[in-house]
Amino acid sequence: TQLLEQSPQFLSIQEGENLTVYCNSSSVFSSLQWYRQEPGEGPVLLVTVVTGGEVKKLKRLTFQFGDARKDSSLHITAAQPGDTGLYLCADLSGTYKYIFGTGTRLKVLA
Amino acid sequence: DAGVIQSPRHEVTEMGQEVTLRCKPISGHNSLFWYRQTMMRGLELLIYFNNNVPIDDSGMPEDRFSAKMPNASFSTLKIQPSEPRDSAVYFCASSSNSYEQYFGPGTRLTVT
């Protein structure tokens, strides 16, 4: 069974700081997704990456997919309180089954 | 355009009672997923429907759990009898393809 480990588990930073969170898989990713889940809400898809070495940017968020497709990172520049939430990585296993990571809980203090 | 709708948002019940969670997927989506989220186990897929047909229920923890999708716009997840270890947040998600799921706001279930 594939395991997705995310680190760190918890992160508390001041507004304006930069941060990076990581997702590592026990096997090669098929199709990696990153989600953000705000308190009291469901996860919301941020990005899908498929190709090893791929880099995608979404405003202040930069997503990188490892060359070997077994790891990924999410970098946030100049974090804002609105970035607070649980960040989840997920892999599409087969045609419909998503395996979710353990999550990184981020808190950005004003 | 309405997203995935779940009800109730919060449910508190006593051990042994029947619990029914409801979901209305996004109109036009043909795939529906039920997930359970806990601190210990994270987000786990319970059951997947495609075109109203259950395709994979391997994640349903035991016979106390059942799910139905009588039509394209409604699904239920039932727990009977409920136990304290069923306490979790239950999410419904829908999709029109395999690559993008839209999650509902979840139902927070507490079984005392």
Side-chain angles (χ1 to χ4, degrees), chain A residues 3-10 20-26 29 32-37 46 70 72-74 85-91 99-106, chain B residues 37 42-43:
Chain A
L3 294 176
L4 300 186
E5 296 280 346
Q6 292 187 243
S7 61
Q9 272 190 291
F10 301 96
T20 303
V21 298
Y22 301 91
C23 175
N24 290 282
S25 174
S26 57
F29 284 107
L32 172 67
Q33 297 187 329
W34 281 95
Y35 290 79
R36 177 170 62 215
Q37 183 179 8
L46 297 173
K70 293 187 70 176
S72 179
S73 63
L74 160 57
L86 177 67
Y87 287 81
L88 295 164
C89 63
D91 187 23
I99 308 296
F100 282 83
T102 51
T104 292
R105 202 167 293 275
L106 171 66
Chain B
Q37 186 176 42
L43 197 59

Side-chain angles (χ1 to χ4, degrees), chain B residues 66-84:
Chain B
S66 63
K68 293 182 179 179
M69 191 164 186
N71 57 62
S73 59
F74 184 65
S75 177
T76 59
L77 178 67
K78 185 178 293 186
I79 308 173
Q80 166 63 18
S82 58
E83 296 183 3

Side-chain angles (χ1 to χ4, degrees), chain B residues 25-104:
Chain B
I26 293 173
S27 176
H29 284 188
N30 62 349
S31 295
L32 184 137
F33 307 79
W34 281 100
Y35 288 89
R36 178 171 66 177
Q37 186 176 42
T38 61
M39 288 293 290
M40 290 296 294
R41 299 176 67 88
L43 197 59
E44 302 174 287
L45 178 65
L46 299 178
I47 187 168
Y48 161 65
F49 290 88
N50 186 253
N51 292 324
N52 312 338
V53 176
I55 303 299
D56 183 351
D57 65 354
S58 60
M60 296 284 264
E62 47 197 274
D63 292 345
R64 297 185 297 105
F65 285 68
S66 63
K68 293 182 179 179
M69 191 164 186
N71 57 62
S73 59
F74 184 65
S75 177
T76 59
L77 178 67
K78 185 178 293 186
I79 308 173
Q80 166 63 18
S82 58
E83 296 183 3
R85 60 190 168 127
D86 302 330
S87 297
V89 182
Y90 291 82
F91 289 102
C92 174
S94 70
S95 175
S96 60
N97 57 52
S98 294
Y99 300 105
E100 189 162 3
Q101 295 180 84
Y102 293 84
F103 283 79

